[in-house]
Amino acid sequence: MTTTSAKNLFIYGSLLCFVVLVILTIDTMGKLDQRAPVITEKVDAGKKVWHKYDCIGCHTILGNGSYFAPDMTKATERKPKGYLKKFLIDPRAINPGTAMPSFGMSEQEADDLIAFLDWTSKVDTNGWPPKPILAAAAGTRTASMGQMLFQKHDCSACHQIQGIGGTAGPDLTYIGNERPDVEWHIRHLKAPDAVVPDSAMPGFNDLSEEELRQLAEYLITLK
Amino acid sequence: MKYQSHQIALNFYTASVLLFLVQALVGIIAAFQFIWPDFFILNFNTIRTLHINALVVWLLMGMMGATYYVVTEESETELWSIPLGHLQFWATVIAVSAVVVGYIIMGLNPQANIEVFGTRLLNEGREYIEAPRWADILIVVSVLLFLLNCFMTILKTKKFTAVQGVLLGGLTFLALMYIPGMFYTKSMVKDQFWWWWVVHLWVEGSWELIAAALLAFMLHKLLGTDVKVLAKWMYIEVGLVLFTGILGLGHHYYWIGTPEYWLWVGGIFSSLEPIPLLLMVWDAFRTTRETRGVVENKIGLYLTVAHAIFNFVGAGLWGVIHTLPQVNKWTHGTQLTTAHGHLAFYGAYVLLIVAMIYVTLPSIRGVKEFNQSRGFQSFWWMTISMIFIVITITGAGMVQTYLERLLGLDYVTVKASYNLWFWIFRAIFGVTFIVGVWMLVKDVLILGRKPAA
Ligand code: HEM
Ligand code: HEM
Ligand SMILES: [Fe+2]
């Protein structure tokens, strides 16, 4: 190959690739709106709050950003909105151990952000993030009724038992030693903020008395 | 100094290595914040912003310095306008300082990041392109003035060399690809779609063109290799870079809400991206082997070859391991991405600028012999440290992928307990890295000024 033909190949080949990229881009732009919910004013306001506080400087969203904090794409699926709102306004009041600082966010801003995060959680991401495949295989041991309720209501989204689970609420590995009172737990599960002032834990009053007792009895076995 | 214009190149080099020092320093703070989040008065996000913005800016300034040098040398004349060159340098320094002050203010008081004319005053809140809109405009003006000066110089003598063509072509492409990052979209999906045009088409497109052109320039200057042969291979390399890299953009469009066909486009084209990088390694070795006689500037050649190798390893190998959608589905946005980001930037662009400095600085200072041992020492301190940083973070990424993504453990648990030792080692190797950077800065300031030992 001569230098001139190499040069021509470079110039025209690259232009061709760029043209293909432009065509694919136009096609993609036409399809994006069907792959995501409608963007309301609230969602847009939330996106602006996201940029204002530079959330991307610690978090990823849709998997892109910084790797200092959890991905935000499905944040509203992992945690109830009431909890998220309290957390966003003052993270350390809710979870003293958290590495997320307080930004002085208003209630309005927190609501908008949650609307925005709700929007991203519904984007069709071709199945990302994937469900952990080994977790299903590991969780087949027999469990008590209380333990099953613990799993069913996803308490481990916020609580750890022996290193497994989230860190939004206190670690429950030794809760049976710390709070051995079944009645306390029943009252707390029904309406956490009636027992612990300003609690950010959601209430579980849709459970029957029977279920609440089973759950509480499971909790006090944790020692 | 043969040309007055080379003073401008030297100013850019000096500013760029000083910013490199700042980048490494804040990198260490960021590394400690993984262990103690409240380690510093500024939060992690501000520190990280400073770290990656310093990186991009110092590399761009290094490229500008290198280009001013190459254009004067290839055209065998002074720049079209020397005062414009100086003005462009100082304007860049002032604009960058203003942006940094803005980040710090916003870090201390997040509420200061108010909205003006529909954009943010201090920080746009988008990774890498955090700089606010007013700064974007200043950056574009600065780059246009720079390009104008270079093009007018070439037009003055009408010596259209291949190296100059690809170099300035790459720089023009770079300037154009900044534009997709300069408008607001309501959809986060579209936001990220255009954001990747900037980020990916920079590092895997225009910047690689600049790297290939500078590689050819350095090999010619160091070894006296025939320009025709170098030019032919350069065209083949940059051709392959763009054939694979432009559509390789698809490897960022797997999971952000874009249609499924990107899995095919991105997977196929990006898997081929290492080929041109391997060709550059071969090119560097072939020209070196075919050269007879002694090479005077050994450190220059050493760094040039090291750049080619680490470009292939960091960008090519560490990139290709997670570029297929089947793998990327599990590793997307984990510490593996950071490991690749560090080795790729270090190999492809940090070593490129450092090599250009060592290849051209002796001529700028007008010496043939100089103390080369400081350059070698700085290279090894930086390179060994970077290799260890990348090994630890690759380890952290593998643990994270396994425990969080495959087993379903909580993100914070994996970060705070399982990966703790990796963070500690990264911080330690960060400190040894900065020793090498410090040696580099000192050497750039004194190289060739005192008689060689
Ligand atoms: C010199 C060239 C390159 C540089 C400087 C570079 C740098 C980077 C950086 C910094 C990121 C992270 C972006 C972020 O912060 O979100 C990234 C992501 C990525 N790079 Fe590269 N890269 C280069 C070449 C390549 C090549 C040649 C490949 C593939 C063969 C590749 C594959 C990837 C992939 C798949 C990701 C996405 C990772 C994820 O899903 O989290 N890169 N690159
Ligand atoms: C003193 C040594 C260094 C240390 C301790 C360090 C540390 C860090 C840390 C902690 C982050 C944040 C990663 C995250 O979000 O999880 C980061 C990001 C980054 N650093 Fe460094 N860094 C150092 C040197 C460098 C160098 C020399 C380069 C360029 C070659 C570089 C390029 C980047 C890039 C591109 C990112 C953002 C993208 C990514 O996370 O992949 N760093 N660094
Ligand atoms: Fe890429």
Side-chain angles (χ1 to χ4, degrees):
Chain A
M1 200 185 327
T2 64
T3 307
T4 319
S5 55
K7 179 175 165 185
N8 287 333
L9 193 67
F10 157 57
I11 293 174
Y12 296 109
S14 307
L15 281 176
L16 181 70
C17 289
F18 205 81
V19 169
V20 175
L21 176 64
V22 170
I23 294 170
L24 288 177
T25 297
I26 293 169
D27 180 74
T28 298
M29 284 298 150
K31 293 197 164 106
L32 290 183
D33 290 338
Q34 290 125 49
R35 297 175 58 90
V38 178
I39 300 172
T40 61
E41 266 178 36
K42 212 166 164 55
V43 170
D44 183 43
K47 181 172 183 277
K48 289 191 172 143
V49 178
W50 173 267
H51 292 307
K52 173 181 171 189
Y53 292 110
D54 188 31
C55 310
I56 202 88
C58 290
H59 290 276
T60 51
I61 190 159
L62 298 166
N64 293 313
S66 311
Y67 320 109
F68 185 75
D71 186 72
M72 284 289 112
T73 316
K74 305 274 179 190
T76 57
E77 286 182 9
R78 275 201 307 269
K79 301 276 158 67
K81 291 181 186 147
Y83 171 84
L84 285 178
K85 185 170 174 183
K86 286 188 175 154
F87 181 81
L88 287 172
I89 292 171
D90 193 353
R92 291 188 183 176
I94 302 307
N95 180 359
T98 187
M100 177 151 145
S102 170
F103 304 108
M105 194 183 289
S106 68
E107 292 218 5
Q108 174 72 44
E109 287 178 321
D111 283 333
D112 292 344
L113 255 176
I114 290 169
F116 164 67
L117 293 173
D118 218 19
W119 183 86
T120 53
S121 75
K122 296 196 180 79
V123 171
D124 178 355
T125 54
N126 296 329
W128 194 87
K131 296 259 172 304
I133 40 172
L134 300 178
T140 49
R141 279 171 294 126
T142 49
S144 69
M145 276 306 289
Q147 193 174 355
M148 267 150 62
L149 287 166
F150 193 89
Q151 278 166 12
K152 184 174 158 217
H153 294 279
D154 207 17
C155 309
S156 58
C158 296
H159 294 288
Q160 280 199 341
I161 297 176
Q162 293 182 344
I164 296 178
T167 53
D171 188 324
L172 298 183
T173 311
Y174 302 108
I175 189 68
N177 289 335
E178 290 154 17
R179 292 191 187 280
D181 179 2
V182 174
E183 302 306 323
W184 185 92
H185 283 294
I186 295 178
R187 271 184 288 131
H188 179 253
L189 286 167
K190 267 198 225 160
D193 53 358
V195 181
V196 178
D198 278 333
S199 170
M201 173 161 145
F204 290 88
N205 45 19
D206 51 332
L207 272 74
S208 69
E209 286 294 326
E210 173 72 19
E211 287 174 318
L212 285 170
R213 187 161 298 276
Q214 285 167 341
L215 193 48
E217 277 166 359
Y218 165 65
L219 289 173
I220 60 164
T221 64
L222 299 171
K223 353 188 133 167
Chain B
M1 201 170 290
K2 194 167 162 198
Y3 297 107
Q4 285 307 306
S5 313
H6 285 174
Q7 183 60 44
I8 302 170
L10 184 56
N11 287 350
F12 270 99
Y13 286 163
T14 313
S16 93
V17 290
L18 285 172
L19 255 182
F20 184 16
L21 192 65
V22 173
Q23 185 219 343
L25 209 64
V26 289
I28 293 172
I29 297 176
F32 275 106
Q33 286 179 324
F34 265 76
I35 308 164
W36 299 294
D38 296 329
F39 174 73
F40 198 68
I41 26 167
L42 294 166
N43 286 321
F44 177 83
N45 59 319
T46 306
I47 293 297
R48 191 187 198 273
T49 300
L50 290 171
H51 181 61
I52 59 181
N53 282 247
L55 165 72
V56 173
V57 170
W58 85 256
L59 291 176
L60 286 175
M61 291 184 87
M63 286 177 196
M64 287 182 184
T67 306
Y68 278 134
Y69 182 93
V70 171
V71 168
T72 37
E73 184 155 302
E74 296 254 308
S75 304
E76 295 175 71
T77 171
E78 292 285 359
L79 284 175
W80 176 62
S81 166
I82 295 179
L84 183 64
H86 281 292
L87 176 81
Q88 191 249 330
F89 172 75
W90 287 108
T92 310
V93 171
I94 291 168
V96 170
S97 315
V99 173
V100 168
V101 171
Y103 290 159
I104 294 173
I105 292 174
M106 134 102 181
L108 296 172
N109 174 18
Q111 298 299 341
N113 194 20
I114 53 169
E115 197 178 82
V116 270
F117 302 121
T119 69
R120 290 288 158 193
L121 178 64
L122 303 177
N123 184 325
E124 230 175 74
R126 298 167 79 203
E127 194 192 2
Y128 300 109
I129 48 175
E130 285 93 346
R133 196 60 40 84
W134 55 265
D136 291 344
I137 294 165
L138 290 181
I139 293 166
V140 170
V141 171
S142 159
V143 173
L144 287 180
L145 290 179
F146 158 78
L147 286 174
L148 174 78
N149 212 348
C150 295
F151 276 117
M152 293 310 282
T153 310
I154 297 176
L155 283 180
K156 204 167 71 174
T157 55
K158 301 220 165 47
K159 279 193 192 139
F160 301 106
T161 66
V163 164
Q164 280 183 335
V166 171
L167 184 58
L168 288 170
L171 285 161
T172 310
F173 185 25
L174 184 161
L176 287 175
M177 282 308 115
Y178 196 57
I179 297 168
M182 280 174 53
F183 56 87
Y184 179 80
T185 46
K186 286 187 173 187
S187 156
M188 195 62 188
V189 177
K190 290 180 190 165
D191 188 310
Q192 294 205 349
F193 186 94
W194 293 114
W195 176 81
W196 277 117
W197 271 54
V198 184
V199 177
H200 172 101
L201 292 179
W202 267 17
V203 299
E204 289 159 72
S206 60
W207 290 32
E208 287 286 359
L209 299 198
I210 296 164
L214 292 180
L215 178 66
F217 173 83
M218 291 191 287
L219 290 173
H220 172 67
K221 187 170 166 71
L222 292 163
L223 305 169
T225 314
D226 182 12
V227 187
K228 267 231 135 38
V229 181
L230 283 171
K232 185 176 94 181
W233 285 108
M234 176 182 69
Y235 282 128
I236 296 176
E237 286 154 10
V238 291
L240 289 174
V241 162
L242 293 186
F243 300 165
T244 59
I246 290 178
L247 291 169
L249 176 58
H251 64 184
H252 304 296
Y253 295 162
Y254 298 155
W255 325 116
I256 65 166
T258 32
E260 229 174 315
Y261 57 71
W262 286 108
L263 270 66
W264 288 96
V265 178
I268 292 169
F269 283 91
S270 70
S271 305
L272 301 173
E273 283 184 52
I275 295 172
L277 309 183
L278 189 59
L279 208 58
M280 291 184 202
V281 179
W282 175 78
D283 201 9
F285 273 103
R286 179 182 46 85
T287 23
T288 311
R289 213 179 42 237
E290 284 170 1
T291 306
R292 273 167 252 289
V294 264
V295 178
E296 275 169 355
N297 189 346
K298 288 203 180 56
I299 177 72
L301 181 62
Y302 204 81
L303 285 161
T304 307
V305 175
H307 149 71
I309 295 173
F310 279 102
N311 187 6
F312 171 66
V313 176
L317 291 185
W318 250 254
V320 88
I321 51 172
H322 61 164
T323 205
L324 285 178
Q326 292 79 358
V327 177
N328 193 262
K329 183 169 192 169
W330 302 101
T331 61
H332 181 44
T334 60
Q335 292 294 325
L336 274 176
T337 309
T338 307
H340 156 67
H342 278 84
L343 199 56
F345 261 114
Y346 180 74
Y349 304 119
V350 173
L351 286 179
L352 175 72
I353 301 301
V354 176
M356 265 310 282
I357 290 177
Y358 275 95
V359 171
T360 58
L361 198 53
S363 313
I364 294 179
R365 293 247 164 85
V367 292
K368 274 229 150 76
E369 280 180 13
F370 57 96
N371 182 341
Q372 304 200 2
S373 71
R374 286 193 296 259
F376 280 106
Q377 278 178 40
S378 145
F379 169 77
W380 283 115
W381 276 94
M382 291 196 299
T383 302
I384 293 177
S385 309
M386 184 46 82
I387 289 173
F388 277 107
I389 289 179
V390 170
I391 291 175
T392 50
I393 297 309
T394 303
M398 283 159 55
V399 168
Q400 185 189 1
T401 303
Y402 184 74
L403 292 178
E404 186 203 338
R405 299 292 171 83
L406 293 169
L407 271 181
L409 257 61
D410 185 67
Y411 172 94
V412 177
T413 313
V414 176
K415 179 186 163 204
S417 46
Y418 294 93
N419 270 339
L420 185 62
W421 280 101
F422 290 120
W423 312 142
I424 295 173
F425 280 114
R426 165 167 62 186
I428 293 172
F429 292 117
V431 175
T432 56
F433 185 87
I434 213 168
V435 174
V437 183
W438 176 243
M439 289 174 169
L440 171 72
V441 172
K442 256 189 6 200
D443 210 19
V444 169
L445 296 178
I446 63 176
L447 186 146
R449 286 208 165 148
K450 292 184 210 127

